[in-house]
Amino acid sequence: MPELPEVEIVARRLGRWLVGARVTSATAPGVVTMRTFDPPLEALVGREVTGVRRAGKMPIVEFGDLAVLVHLMSAGRLGAFEGRASARDRRVRLRIGFGDGRELRLREFGTQQRAWAKLLPAAEVDADEAVATLGPEAWPVPPLDEFAALVRQPRHLHPLLRDQRTIAGIGRSWVDEILWTARLSPFRQGDDLDDDAVTALRLACDEVLGGALEHYERVVGDSLPDKAPMPLHVHARQGEPCPRCGTTLAAVFFKDHVTTYCPQEQTGGRVLKDRRLSRLLR
Ligand SMILES: [Zn+2]
């Protein structure tokens, strides 16, 4: 799933390529994709792209006083292409064609239709429920006192950092990298962190997310790959040696995600076997 660095690089590139492009068509082949009906998508025709930005993990494409807010969910991708999509391409959920022949497409991989979009007055985007309920952006990271207040909650750090209402932009991949960088257990409670741990966690957010973005700026050229290789050190690399200390990385498997960590540096040498056992440990 695209997280803050992946969506930020998409927003930057789409902004670079599309600002000034004039819309000639706008349709939503995904029958459940559009969550708004008024104004209709056709209201975009004749308008120019004026900007592309991001709120948490959601891209926002602006067309003057209208804007398209997109939630990619786990398998959605937003990209610009030369030429029109084939009508038989079943991955296309939303397509906006431009006078120069290019097309902005929201595509979704897999069979489920979960990605969604809203066409809203640009001035109302930040008040939309999906945006208004987001916590502060994880990058650039909030000041220390604000960050400390956000994370000092009686919850495990792993779900806490992935909770978009607490802090926006971090998902299943980057949370592992951030906790590994800060040398903190995914099962530490937020309100159990001393000042040094909060400082380390905040620095890790900034370093890891900012570093990923710098990486994408270097490697993403004139086209956006559907799945840019993520510069991950530990996530989903259980069984491999920790790049820092050489200890074999371990993982806890949940129903729909995996948490990878270094037992030596993050959990005091303890290998957590499963979710029930992990609940006993911090
Ligand atoms: Zn290690």
Side-chain angles (χ1 to χ4, degrees):
M1 164 152 193
E3 301 177 27
L4 189 154
E6 292 75 37
V7 179
E8 174 69 21
I9 194 70
V10 165
R12 288 182 185 182
R13 288 297 185 271
L14 290 179
R16 185 191 291 178
W17 299 330
L18 295 179
V19 165
R22 187 167 293 276
V23 177
T24 52
S25 65
T27 55
V31 288
V32 295
T33 302
M34 292 307 297
R35 292 271 173 97
T36 56
F37 302 96
D38 183 26
L41 264 180
E42 299 76 55
L44 291 176
V45 174
R47 288 168 175 266
E48 281 182 9
V49 176
T50 51
V52 184
R53 61 185 182 100
R54 169 191 67 75
K57 298 188 268 189
M58 294 177 284
I60 299 163
V61 186
E62 295 169 328
F63 304 83
D65 59 7
L66 290 179
V68 175
L69 169 68
V70 176
H71 200 308
L72 300 166
M73 298 302 291
S74 58
R77 298 289 183 272
L78 193 63
F81 300 85
E82 297 289 340
R84 298 286 189 252
S86 159
R88 300 170 70 175
D89 187 344
R90 291 169 172 272
R91 297 169 303 184
V92 180
R93 302 283 182 259
L94 173 66
R95 44 195 289 192
I96 298 172
F98 301 102
D100 57 14
R102 290 181 298 168
E103 195 169 76
L104 174 67
R105 281 175 219 155
L106 168 61
R107 295 178 302 155
E108 194 169 23
F109 295 82
T111 52
Q112 287 188 308
Q113 293 205 23
R114 295 174 63 215
W116 57 256
K118 294 178 180 179
L119 177 59
L120 300 165
E124 291 176 21
V125 170
D126 290 347
D128 184 85
E129 193 200 354
V131 178
T133 53
L134 293 175
E137 294 284 340
W139 182 91
V141 74
L144 186 57
D145 50 348
E146 188 185 348
F147 184 82
L150 293 173
V151 299
R152 282 195 165 130
Q153 295 183 41
R155 300 173 62 190
H156 288 156
L157 289 176
H158 200 274
L160 175 72
L161 292 172
R162 286 186 295 120
D163 180 350
Q164 303 304 297
R165 293 171 185 237
T166 297
I167 189 162
I170 301 170
R172 294 165 191 170
S173 301
W174 291 112
V175 68
D176 282 355
E177 303 294 311
I178 289 167
L179 290 170
W180 176 77
T181 299
R183 294 177 167 84
L184 289 171
S185 166
F187 302 100
R188 272 286 282 280
Q189 298 263 132
D191 60 359
D192 183 41
L193 300 181
D194 62 19
D195 289 349
D196 286 349
V198 170
T199 301
L201 185 57
R202 178 178 174 274
L203 277 178
C205 277
D206 201 43
E207 222 177 274
V208 168
L209 298 174
L213 202 43
E214 277 171 25
H215 168 85
Y216 291 134
E217 279 290 0
R218 279 195 307 273
V219 302
V220 173
D222 284 334
S223 67
L224 286 164
D226 283 328
K227 213 173 184 313
M230 297 168 79
L232 301 168
H233 292 102
V234 290
H235 177 68
R237 298 204 165 178
Q238 54 274 8
E240 295 181 25
C242 169
R244 209 162 42 204
C245 75
T247 303
T248 301
L249 295 171
V252 178
F253 293 86
F254 294 87
K255 185 165 156 270
D256 56 359
H257 71 280
V258 58
T259 301
T260 316
Y261 63 95
C262 171
Q264 178 64 33
E265 298 178 292
Q266 289 177 260
T267 57
R270 287 173 294 192
V271 174
L272 315 174
K273 283 298 179 207
D274 64 28
R275 200 174 157 186
R276 280 159 299 165
L277 173 62
S278 69
R279 213 180 279 153
L280 305 173
L281 304 166
R282 294 198 295 181

